[in-house]
Amino acid sequence: MTLKEAVLKSLEDINNITNYLTVLNHINVNNYYDFGVAKTPGSTISAVLGDFIRNGDTRVKRIKQNGATYSYYLTKNEQNIGIEVLSGDAITPIAKTTKSNKIKTYEERDLHKLLSSYLKNADTYSKTIFHEQSNGKDNNQIWTHPDMIGIKFLNLQTKASQNFLKSINRIDTFKLTSYELKREINSDSELKKAFFQAVSNSSWANYGYLVALEFSDSLIEEMARLNQSFGIGIIELNANPYQSKVLYPSVFRDLDFKTIDKLCKMNKEFEKFIEQTEKLMTASEKYVSGAEKELDELCDGYFANDSEVESYCVEKYIPTNPE
């Protein structure tokens, strides 16, 4: 049978709401489909299930679980499941898998590599800032530190134009950006708390962004209002980082060097990032490539290809079809 048929057959056999990992396990146990040398069959199953919903195929339905994940079931089995489960009033029974019966989900910091890959593709160097490694006894450091920082250098083609710009105003050769990451934002209160955390954490930077894997559609108008009022941009991250979208752009601001100095004193990793940035900007032509390599090594890792992205999302339980 085809993979699509194997998925439908497994949903019929399970006869309950279930997730893509359980469907994959059922297919493998019953030899419904041979994945061959496929490296990420879980991502494939997740995509097939998502396609049923996106294409309006009435044979399959889904309900949302915690952590931006979904459970699926056959429409014809709906009467066997129970209204209390479908409405979320009862604990959702998930069919057992050979590995674990516990629903696993991803951590917020698992999203950092997705964002760093998206930014690297846009010629932006980025680095995670661990607020728990900072000096001081401030319990509210999460309102001081960005989750990630990024820098993009102005790419002029000729040495003459590069040197000319540097001689006029070195600050114009780069732009610094602050990023505040969240797993998902589903309510107005969640949006406001995360947004103003981004406002607080990005006061020093040229640009500030709030980033999440999922935003509720009901928040579009409020996101637009907040963006217009405070200038913080919003990025909708995607499990395929190269499909991430800037929903609202950030407004440019001058750098706040006093706050940058404060953050350098508080956090050694932030200080190293600033030091390496300065080293690259002031390097002579002979040493530019070496300085670029040092900055790249200091920054967060990123994916080399799509297979790495898929494997990572499966490993970290990041939903590949959150919409």
Side-chain angles (χ1 to χ4, degrees):
M1 63 180 74
T2 66
L3 179 56
K4 190 173 183 179
E5 290 169 341
V7 170
L8 289 171
K9 175 61 174 166
S10 296
L11 290 175
E12 183 174 10
D13 293 345
I14 294 170
N15 193 23
N16 209 328
I17 62 173
T18 188
N19 57 25
Y20 75 96
L21 290 174
T22 306
V23 173
L24 172 62
N25 179 70
H26 191 85
I27 290 174
N28 287 331
V29 169
N30 292 278
N31 296 316
Y32 286 160
Y33 185 83
D34 182 8
F35 290 95
V37 296
K39 295 181 178 180
T40 57
S43 295
T44 303
I45 295 298
S46 180
V48 170
L49 286 166
D51 285 342
F52 280 111
I53 305 302
R54 285 187 293 273
N55 296 332
D57 193 317
T58 58
R59 292 175 294 178
V60 177
K61 291 185 178 180
R62 72 180 182 185
I63 59 174
K64 188 174 181 181
Q65 303 290 341
N66 293 330
T69 60
Y70 291 96
S71 291
Y72 298 84
Y73 63 95
L74 281 187
T75 302
K76 68 179 184 179
N77 291 340
E78 196 166 36
Q79 60 183 0
N80 301 326
I81 298 175
I83 189 63
E84 70 279 358
V85 174
L86 297 176
S87 65
D89 294 333
I91 298 176
T92 302
I94 299 295
K96 294 182 179 180
T97 68
T98 56
K99 290 184 177 181
S100 172
N101 194 35
K102 182 179 179 181
I103 297 178
K104 297 182 179 180
T105 187
Y106 63 98
E107 301 293 334
E108 181 181 295
R109 278 185 176 158
D110 292 333
L111 299 177
H112 286 216
K113 194 170 183 178
L114 296 179
L115 180 58
S116 68
S117 298
Y118 165 70
L119 296 173
K120 185 65 176 180
N121 193 55
D123 296 322
T124 298
Y125 295 91
S126 60
K127 180 168 179 56
T128 295
I129 302 300
F130 298 97
H131 64 82
E132 62 268 23
Q133 296 179 3
S134 293
N135 301 323
K137 300 179 180 179
D138 183 5
N139 292 326
N140 294 313
Q141 287 180 354
I142 59 172
W143 290 88
T144 304
H145 297 64
D147 286 325
M148 289 178 66
I149 55 177
I151 187 166
K152 183 171 184 176
F153 297 95
L154 181 60
N155 184 23
L156 297 179
Q157 299 301 314
T158 66
K159 281 296 175 187
S161 60
Q162 292 172 9
N163 293 333
F164 182 59
L165 179 57
K166 288 183 178 181
S167 67
I168 298 174
N169 188 349
R170 193 176 300 278
I171 294 177
D172 289 336
T173 64
F174 68 95
K175 295 295 180 285
L176 280 165
T177 306
S178 169
Y179 302 94
E180 181 66 33
L181 273 79
K182 300 297 179 187
R183 284 160 36 97
E184 58 181 86
I185 298 178
N186 294 313
S187 67
D188 185 76
S189 61
E190 289 179 357
L191 173 62
K192 285 186 170 61
K193 181 178 179 180
F195 191 90
F196 287 111
Q197 190 175 347
V199 171
S200 176
N201 292 346
S202 66
S203 63
W204 56 275
N206 294 127
Y207 300 100
Y209 279 94
L210 172 63
V211 186
L213 190 66
E214 181 180 11
F215 292 95
S216 171
D217 292 339
S218 64
L219 300 175
I220 295 298
E221 291 185 6
E222 185 63 12
M223 286 193 292
R225 186 189 72 79
L226 291 171
N227 169 257
Q228 185 175 17
S229 298
F230 299 96
I232 296 297
I234 298 176
I235 296 175
E236 184 178 51
L237 198 60
N238 194 289
N240 179 342
Y242 314 112
Q243 293 179 7
S244 300
K245 300 176 183 177
V246 176
L247 300 181
Y248 301 96
S250 175
V251 175
F252 175 82
R253 296 166 299 185
D254 291 329
L255 294 175
D256 179 354
F257 288 98
K258 288 187 176 180
T259 302
I260 290 175
D261 184 56
K262 174 184 176 182
L263 288 170
C264 284
K265 291 177 180 177
M266 292 176 65
N267 190 283
K268 289 297 181 182
E269 291 299 303
F270 187 95
E271 184 179 36
K272 287 180 182 178
F273 184 87
I274 297 299
E275 286 178 347
Q276 198 61 51
T277 296
E278 190 275 337
K279 183 176 180 180
L280 177 55
M281 289 191 300
T282 57
S284 63
E285 183 177 354
K286 181 179 179 181
Y287 298 106
V288 165
S289 60
E292 286 179 337
K293 183 179 180 181
E294 289 181 13
L295 178 60
D296 191 58
E297 291 175 349
L298 175 67
C299 290
D300 288 1
Y302 46 88
F303 299 108
N305 50 57
D306 289 349
S307 294
E308 285 190 7
V309 175
E310 293 177 2
S311 298
Y312 181 84
C313 288
V314 171
E315 176 189 350
K316 299 297 184 180
Y317 297 92
I318 297 174
T320 55
N321 296 288
E323 68 277 2

